[in-house]
Amino acid sequence: MALAGRAALRWGPRLPSPSAAPLCRAAGLPAACERRYSSRGKEKLDMSTYPVESIRNFSIIAHVDHGKSTLADRLLEITGTISKTDRNKQVLDKLQVERERGITVKAQSASLFYNHEGINYLLNLIDTPGHVDFSYEVSRSLSACQGVILVVDANEGIQAQTVANFYLAFEAQLSIIPVINKIDLKNADPERVEKQIEKLFDIPTDECIRISAKQGTNVEKVLQKVIEKIPPPQCTPADPLKALVFDSTFDHYRGVVANIALFGGEIAKGHKIMSAHTKKRYEVNEVGILTPDEQPTHKLYAGQVGYLIAGMKEVAEAQIGDTLFLYKQPVEPLPGFKSAKPMVFAGMYPIDQTEYNNLKSALERLTLNDSSVTVHRDSSLALGAGWRLGFLGLLHMEVFNQRLEQEYNMSVILTAPTVPYKVVLSSAKLIKEYGKDQITIINPAQFPDKLSVSEYLEPTVLGTIVTPHEYIGKIITLCQDRRAVQKDMLYIDENRVMLKYLFPLNEIVLDFYDALKSLSSGYASFDYEDAGYQSADLIKMDILLNGNPVEELATVIHKDKAHAAGKLLCERLKETIPRQLFEIAIQAAIGKKIIARETLKAYRKNVVAKCYGGDITRRMKLLKRQAEGKRLMRKIGNVEVPRDAFIRILKREPDK
Amino acid sequence: APCPQWPYCRKRCSYCNFNTYVVPAVDEAAVRSCLVREAQTLLRLSQVHSVSSVFFGGGTPSLASPGTVAAVLEAVAAAAHLPAGAEVTLEANPSSTSTSRLAGFRAAGVNRLSIGVQSLDDAELRMLGREHTAAEARKAVEAARGLFPGRTSIDLLFGLPGQSRDAWAQRLEAALGLCDDHISLYQLTLERGTALAAQVRGGALPEPSQDVLADMYHTARTVLAAASFRHYEVSNFARKGALSTHNLSYWRADQYIGVGPGAHGRFVPRGEGGRSREARVQILEPAAWMREVQSQGHGTRSRVVLSPLEQLEELLTLGLRTDEGVTHERWGHFSPQLSLQAVFGAPGEARALQQQGWLVLDSGGLRCTWAGLAVLDSLLPDLLWQLQRV
């Protein structure tokens, strides 16, 4: 598993291997070849034949599953970037988790070459992630673009993320090409979707292109629109070099590979450059374009998008949003963007402290490729030395954890996710200790007692929900149950409603999305954006097993919710913890006060009745699996708990 | 110890997931010759000199004719020494145990009978899909005791859907009045894929509660101990020394040879130069098994060499089911280098379990306490985990 994962990380199982030469196109056209070989013995492309006027930089944005990756696959095929086979699925999604979950979590770029009316165009496609957790990556990718293709499913219509993505592009003043995808489906209703787009985004219905990315219908037309509607970048090679770093990855052989967009000048091997952010100097080793694999070129020119390798050892040196320039010709840095803001924090600990160093190096390597994860060292009495990690959202946390397992073969203890609370201190002693009167709490263990606090603050988000109208009642009830306040309600057509709610972030972090999906039979969609802090009546709740606190489950919670949440957690734990040889008291406590209790009785009989006649091979397998499972058990006092039990408990299933 | 399997039944019971077949007509002569042939081949392969027991299981082996049983026993005696005192058990259903048939089996060489009574209540028997009534079961047991005095065992099930503690106590009382010197009491396991399990899952029948099951087991242990039965294995009780030699050898991890469709075995194939104990399974489907036996002499579907660790794991898992536990002698047979004391006497899981009163390690070996035996499956993962780390 682990090895396969590592391979998939680098190349993706369906990308051509060096022996699969037929996929490499003849010289003159960029080749989709493996990275390690692409820099050697290969004709370098001359990019000077693509002046600014013939360049278009664009992204595809869409709600998850509306066909973004499929459209990208078709565009790559039509332009000859990859050969046309029926195996091209999610070509740009290289990570194993992306393919398994059918989502994009990491932006990828590809340069496409396309002849339109006798002119050779260079079209740079910057693929974007398709989940709310990664909207930060979307806005980052958009900064390198002048336009977007907004893909909407002809059956599902506008969804919450469509709205969010549209506004990201709209606010960045990008040209928007609306595309209605999946018109081949039986229930497709492009007219209705066109009307929604008109109503919500003010785009005339006749500007929408109806396509089927799966079957290739009208995809050429999309490319033509890209050329006609999206302006070329406004810059010239005559200016001094000005390159925006909009993404970076880490290659174990060559160090940091920075994805750059040139807003002026040109760049080539041997140039001496400087980072506006770190002020460090580098010499360029290699530049090139992504097709989508790296294809070295002699130079990159203003308006072009590609990659750069310049001896940077850490991804932190290629800070996303940073500006690179020739160190003899300093320029005004481009307005960078805000660094990613973690919404969810969780403690991560090795199951066994002897694994600490291995986990440390795995974390270091993985965060090289995922700079939106923040890492702080942390330690706890119960769990030993570990880290507190910050993630963009719960999916991001799951994906990160899955990558740790798949690509680094690491199994870890993960504590209950918590959102960053703020606390206004009243205790002079604490103010002195922290050196300020307002602190951010990302670990429930550090939650200060009410006596030394004048106010607790919780983060909020503005959530957008799009749903068929028959589910409104249930959704409103759900939102109220989550302490949300309605801000807006709008019919986007006769059947669909868009709702806006101000949510406390901690009410949606774990399972709101699942609950929403479940009560709307999957039809409602959800997206959210940061909306600042609000005052809240917060307390810390502990969960005890036979009197011993379970550190993974300590949570900060709204006072009104503590009893119900404590009771529910205890009930869930009772169902999840396997019966043992002794009775287990499961309790929820606030301070010393027990607010809920369940009792898990001891096993009185646990022995298989018949153990002969049949084969015991199967039985031995089961026992051995249980024995090996002992290694992965977390011991709280005497109580053995399966390692994944806590996260399973926290992720409530709404139908239960 | 060969265990010939007769894979056929007249009807499938609602709780059974064994490898059994209900067919309109069995070509008994063909099955017989294949059982004989396979028994000869495998005995030769094992190079076992002396056979201490033979167990005819199934299926319903009492549906076979006494002639078939005799033929297999003759083949065993021809391939290896079969002492006069060797235990020869036949599993029998009350519906195929007329006195004359039983006399025929005795004449064929059977000297111990295990009767699948299962329950002494007609409603329960119907739920279990049994072909016989309680009265027929009584008659069968009485007939068997007449022919095999002191060597008749009965099987009973407890924990049936809807069965109360009191109902079970009554069945037990009735069984005590009927039985000979050996009783096997099995908690009903709702096996996946059986009709009974589907009924319980679908809600048509109630699932017995864990507490009730524990009480039933406890009651049975207490009542049988009071009636002078020795609780010598998790589900087996005997008095006057009427322990089943065959099953004991299985729990002691002796060698045994499975003969017939779907039979399982554990032995060292010395005849072909083998030196390691193997886990063997014969082909499941009778027709395919017969074709293979006819062409190859045996119908082995799979054979897997057991590593020394795996052998010890099996020994521990099986041995701890018995009241004698795993003796130092048996352990030493499989692990001459590392003693039981060295593995489980060191600080670790086993020692903690001893301190908590579930296990005993002493001059007799490693075994469960009275309380420990009822929760053995919670002890084993800890013990295997400790063993794996050695």
Side-chain angles (χ1 to χ4, degrees):
Chain A
M1 261 327 248
L3 277 173
R6 230 160 288 171
L9 162 70
R10 290 179 50 78
W11 317 117
R14 290 190 180 115
L15 287 178
S17 68
S19 58
L23 272 180
C24 303
R25 301 233 133 204
L29 273 178
C33 275
E34 215 178 26
R35 177 186 281 173
R36 261 178 300 178
Y37 295 83
S38 61
S39 51
R40 284 184 228 142
K42 197 155 250 233
E43 195 73 13
K44 280 190 181 175
L45 285 175
D46 178 6
M47 297 301 288
S48 66
T49 56
Y50 295 96
V52 170
E53 306 79 63
S54 66
I55 297 172
R56 302 289 182 272
N57 296 326
F58 67 103
S59 276
I60 307 178
I61 55 179
H63 189 77
V64 65
D65 277 344
H66 280 198
K68 184 168 54 66
S69 296
T70 313
L71 177 58
D73 292 345
R74 285 303 91 72
L75 295 180
L76 295 180
E77 284 173 11
I78 288 180
T79 55
T81 308
I82 57 173
S83 70
K84 194 170 174 174
T85 80
D86 51 9
R87 292 196 316 274
N88 288 331
K89 281 195 183 129
Q90 285 181 269
V91 169
L92 293 180
D93 291 338
K94 298 185 188 181
L95 302 180
Q96 188 181 347
V97 303
E98 294 182 318
R99 286 158 177 274
E100 280 175 9
R101 293 178 178 239
I103 53 168
T104 306
V105 299
K106 184 124 181 82
Q108 296 286 345
S109 308
S111 294
L112 322 176
F113 298 85
Y114 186 65
N115 189 293
H116 180 56
E117 293 176 353
I119 302 169
N120 282 322
Y121 286 92
L122 168 63
L123 310 179
N124 295 309
L125 161 61
I126 295 151
D127 191 20
T128 59
H131 187 277
V132 51
D133 277 11
F134 303 102
S135 59
Y136 167 72
E137 290 234 1
V138 176
S139 64
R140 219 167 65 190
S141 301
L142 295 187
S143 66
C145 297
Q146 284 75 45
V148 295
I149 301 173
L150 177 68
V151 179
V152 188
D153 184 307
N155 179 15
E156 292 191 355
I158 287 183
Q159 295 295 322
Q161 249 174 287
T162 321
V163 180
N165 282 331
F166 169 81
Y167 282 107
L168 282 177
F170 187 74
E171 280 158 19
Q173 299 183 325
L174 305 183
S175 302
I176 295 168
I177 300 172
V179 163
I180 297 173
N181 188 23
K182 306 197 192 180
I183 56 166
D184 57 306
L185 292 188
K186 212 174 79 196
N187 294 321
D189 188 354
E191 267 124 84
R192 187 178 57 102
V193 179
E194 281 168 0
K195 281 185 197 139
Q196 291 178 351
I197 290 175
E198 183 170 39
K199 173 151 189 187
L200 223 50
F201 304 146
D202 222 6
I203 298 175
T205 49
D206 58 2
E207 283 189 27
C208 294
I209 312 173
R210 299 180 183 185
I211 69 161
S212 161
K214 196 173 150 206
Q215 298 181 346
T217 319
N218 281 344
V219 175
E220 289 264 7
K221 213 160 152 190
V222 175
L223 277 179
Q224 287 155 16
K225 281 282 178 211
V226 164
I227 290 165
E228 287 163 19
K229 275 189 73 177
I230 298 177
Q234 300 295 316
C235 53
T236 156
D239 284 346
L241 171 68
K242 198 186 226 186
L244 173 74
V245 177
F246 66 91
D247 198 6
S248 61
T249 51
F250 186 78
D251 181 296
H252 291 290
Y253 299 97
R254 300 185 298 170
V256 174
V257 180
N259 290 9
I260 53 170
L262 265 64
F263 284 73
E266 54 181 58
I267 191 164
K269 183 175 174 169
H271 283 180
K272 308 260 193 325
I273 58 166
M274 187 180 233
S275 146
H277 180 73
T278 65
K279 305 281 183 271
K280 282 194 183 168
R281 276 154 55 166
Y282 304 95
E283 184 174 328
V284 177
N285 298 333
E286 184 179 321
V287 294
I289 56 169
L290 296 157
T291 63
D293 295 296
E294 286 151 21
Q295 166 75 20
T297 60
H298 291 290
K299 283 185 177 182
L300 286 176
Y301 299 89
Q304 296 179 353
V305 170
Y307 71 92
L308 160 137
I309 297 169
M312 295 173 179
K313 296 281 187 296
E314 289 176 32
V315 167
E317 294 177 70
Q319 185 91 31
I320 290 154
D322 194 2
T323 304
L324 304 175
F325 53 84
L326 295 174
Y327 84 92
K328 284 186 175 158
Q329 283 177 286
V331 297
E332 184 71 17
L334 292 154
F337 12 78
K338 285 179 286 175
S339 51
K341 194 171 149 192
M343 301 285 239
V344 177
F345 291 84
M348 182 176 277
Y349 296 85
I351 288 172
D352 181 343
Q353 280 291 317
T354 58
E355 287 282 294
Y356 180 86
N357 282 324
N358 291 338
L359 180 56
K360 182 170 174 234
S361 98
L363 275 178
E364 281 168 358
R365 282 156 176 251
L366 193 49
T367 46
L368 281 178
N369 271 324
D370 190 350
S371 52
S372 45
V373 178
T374 62
V375 182
H376 299 283
R377 256 197 298 188
D378 203 355
S379 68
S380 99
L381 274 180
L383 302 170
W387 299 266
R388 188 138 284 260
L389 306 185
F391 301 98
L392 300 172
L394 200 69
L395 177 78
H396 184 210
M397 177 171 117
E398 285 177 10
V399 164
F400 187 86
N401 194 25
Q402 195 176 341
R403 290 184 67 185
L404 263 184
E405 284 185 7
Q406 289 178 342
E407 296 166 25
Y408 296 93
N409 199 22
M410 279 283 142
S411 291
V412 297
I413 295 170
L414 216 47
T415 68
T418 182
V419 300
Y421 293 102
K422 284 188 175 167
V423 176
V424 183
L425 298 167
S426 61
S427 137
K429 185 173 159 263
L430 282 181
I431 294 173
K432 199 175 166 203
E433 198 181 308
Y434 285 104
K436 51 190 173 185
D437 64 353
Q438 185 172 328
I439 55 171
T440 302
I441 300 293
I442 57 171
N443 184 349
Q446 284 149 8
F447 193 72
D449 188 81
K450 206 171 178 177
L451 293 172
S452 43
V453 168
S454 60
E455 190 181 21
Y456 293 114
L457 300 166
E458 65 179 345
T460 61
V461 293
L462 184 62
T464 302
I465 298 166
V466 175
T467 175
H469 63 86
E470 59 260 43
Y471 303 112
I472 290 181
K474 283 189 195 165
I475 291 175
I476 289 177
T477 308
L478 173 70
C479 291
Q480 282 167 350
D481 189 43
R482 303 302 177 103
R483 300 192 284 126
V485 179
Q486 196 180 88
K487 293 288 176 189
D488 196 7
M489 180 163 157
L490 173 76
Y491 272 79
I492 60 176
D493 62 23
E494 336 43 293
N495 300 319
R496 268 161 212 273
V497 184
M498 181 172 80
L499 298 158
K500 295 228 179 210
Y501 271 91
L502 186 70
F503 287 94
L505 177 60
N506 77 338
E507 295 286 343
I508 59 159
V509 142
L510 276 178
D511 60 347
F512 178 79
Y513 187 69
D514 294 341
L516 181 72
K517 281 279 170 199
S518 161
L519 65 75
S520 67
S521 311
Y523 286 116
S525 61
F526 180 62
D527 201 326
Y528 61 80
E529 58 191 291
D530 189 6
Y533 279 76
Q534 70 182 19
S535 180
D537 206 351
L538 302 171
I539 47 172
K540 182 186 162 200
M541 182 172 75
D542 287 308
I543 299 291
L544 314 173
L545 294 182
N546 281 350
N548 297 303
V550 182
E551 198 170 314
E552 292 94 320
L553 293 180
T555 46
V556 172
I557 190 166
H558 193 268
K559 201 174 136 216
D560 295 347
K561 296 220 140 182
H563 275 83
K567 186 165 175 283
L568 196 72
L569 271 181
C570 289
E571 285 168 4
R572 291 244 166 89
L573 273 171
K574 188 182 172 183
E575 287 163 18
T576 312
I577 298 176
R579 273 206 199 198
Q580 297 178 26
L581 291 168
F582 42 84
E583 186 172 291
I584 301 167
I586 305 166
Q587 297 166 308
I590 293 169
K592 289 201 161 59
K593 193 176 151 217
I594 304 297
I595 58 166
R597 175 186 169 126
E598 292 286 331
T599 306
L600 181 63
K601 287 203 221 155
Y603 257 130
R604 289 176 52 217
K605 177 175 189 294
N606 181 30
V607 58
V608 69
K610 204 157 190 174
C611 212
Y612 58 63
D615 185 26
I616 62 159
T617 305
R618 231 173 74 200
R619 169 137 188 78
M620 291 312 300
K621 276 197 182 126
L622 176 71
L623 281 171
K624 275 178 359 196
R625 208 169 56 227
Q626 288 173 354
E628 275 148 25
K630 292 275 166 187
R631 191 171 60 86
L632 299 177
M633 288 282 185
R634 163 101 158 87
K635 270 204 149 183
I636 294 152
N638 263 344
V639 183
E640 285 182 335
V641 185
R643 187 180 52 87
D644 58 348
F646 298 131
I647 202 79
R648 285 213 313 267
I649 289 160
L650 293 165
K651 278 208 77 171
R652 308 175 209 163
E653 284 157 41
D655 51 328
K656 270 199 174 168
Chain B
C3 338
Q5 297 283 313
W6 181 265
Y8 303 104
C9 288
R10 268 210 295 260
K11 179 178 177 223
R12 183 176 273 276
C13 300
S14 66
Y15 57 92
C16 174
N17 74 336
F18 279 19
N19 180 45
T20 65
Y21 298 83
V22 178
V23 291
V26 177
D27 181 355
E28 180 157 359
V31 178
R32 177 195 305 150
S33 76
C34 286
L35 285 171
V36 163
R37 176 111 189 259
E38 187 169 56
Q40 283 171 333
T41 311
L42 296 180
L43 272 169
R44 224 173 285 134
L45 187 63
S46 75
Q47 291 194 349
V48 164
H49 297 300
S50 178
V51 170
S52 56
S53 63
V54 181
F55 194 99
F56 288 88
T60 312
S62 54
L63 288 177
S65 68
T68 295
V69 171
V72 172
L73 288 174
E74 276 159 28
V76 171
H81 176 54
L82 182 63
E87 180 187 282
V88 180
T89 307
L90 178 86
E91 279 189 332
N93 261 1
S95 47
S96 50
T97 42
S98 65
T99 310
S100 61
R101 260 188 101 70
L102 291 181
F105 286 126
R106 190 175 66 171
V110 172
N111 57 24
R112 185 173 178 273
L113 218 56
S114 170
I115 301 182
V117 171
Q118 313 312 0
S119 170
L120 288 168
D121 176 86
D122 285 344
E124 286 181 359
L125 287 168
R126 278 195 297 277
M127 173 165 64
L128 294 170
R130 301 291 290 177
E131 278 192 307
H132 60 89
T133 62
E136 283 164 341
R138 282 174 202 283
K139 228 180 280 168
V141 175
E142 276 153 19
R145 289 185 65 179
L147 286 162
F148 304 92
R151 294 179 76 89
T152 297
S153 173
I154 61 171
D155 283 4
L156 281 184
L157 286 172
F158 69 91
L160 275 49
Q163 195 179 44
S164 68
R165 292 175 177 89
D166 285 349
W168 167 238
Q170 286 167 23
R171 306 283 175 273
L172 198 58
E173 210 53 53
L176 264 179
L178 176 69
C179 73
D180 197 6
D181 295 330
H182 192 281
I183 302 188
S184 303
L185 300 178
Y186 299 112
Q187 181 184 313
L188 176 72
T189 312
L190 290 168
E191 298 285 359
R192 264 220 310 246
T194 61
L196 200 60
Q199 280 174 288
V200 171
R201 191 151 358 102
L205 288 171
E207 187 172 0
S209 90
Q210 294 297 316
D211 271 338
V212 171
L213 294 173
D215 286 346
M216 287 177 167
Y217 188 58
H218 185 77
T219 304
R221 295 177 83 179
T222 314
V223 167
L224 287 170
S228 308
F229 278 86
R230 173 176 158 193
H231 186 188
Y232 75 102
E233 192 264 352
V234 170
S235 304
N236 286 276
F237 301 80
R239 62 184 167 195
K240 301 178 195 160
L243 287 66
S244 162
T245 312
H246 183 85
N247 287 335
L248 260 187
S249 73
Y250 174 77
W251 296 313
R252 286 173 179 160
D254 283 337
Q255 297 196 83
Y256 58 97
I257 297 167
V259 177
H264 299 266
R266 291 281 186 283
F267 65 89
V268 183
R270 294 193 193 282
E272 56 176 39
R275 306 178 71 172
S276 305
R277 187 176 166 99
E278 290 183 1
R280 286 171 167 254
V281 187
Q282 307 311 108
I283 294 168
L284 291 165
E285 206 278 310
W289 169 78
M290 282 196 271
R291 279 196 298 276
E292 190 71 8
V293 174
Q294 280 154 5
S295 71
Q296 304 296 321
H298 65 96
T300 305
R301 184 191 73 181
S302 82
R303 41 183 293 195
V304 176
V305 171
L306 295 171
S307 70
L309 175 64
E310 286 170 323
Q311 294 179 36
L312 287 174
E313 287 170 339
E314 286 196 2
L315 174 65
L316 206 58
T317 301
L318 293 169
L320 288 178
R321 295 179 65 84
T322 64
D323 62 346
E324 67 177 15
V326 177
T327 62
H328 293 289
E329 188 220 328
R330 281 313 288 165
W331 182 270
H333 179 77
F334 286 95
S335 172
Q337 312 293 327
L338 204 59
S339 72
L340 208 45
Q341 188 69 39
V343 177
F344 296 113
E349 285 82 350
R351 190 184 277 185
L353 293 172
Q354 284 182 67
Q355 282 159 357
Q356 292 157 20
W358 307 113
L359 274 181
V360 177
L361 174 60
D362 63 13
S363 58
L366 183 70
R367 64 188 176 279
C368 290
T369 60
W370 166 269
L373 188 69
V375 293
L376 173 60
D377 290 358
S378 291
L379 313 180
L380 284 170
D382 273 329
L383 297 176
L384 295 180
W385 172 224
Q386 187 172 9
L387 176 61
Q388 282 167 15
R389 296 197 312 264
V390 172

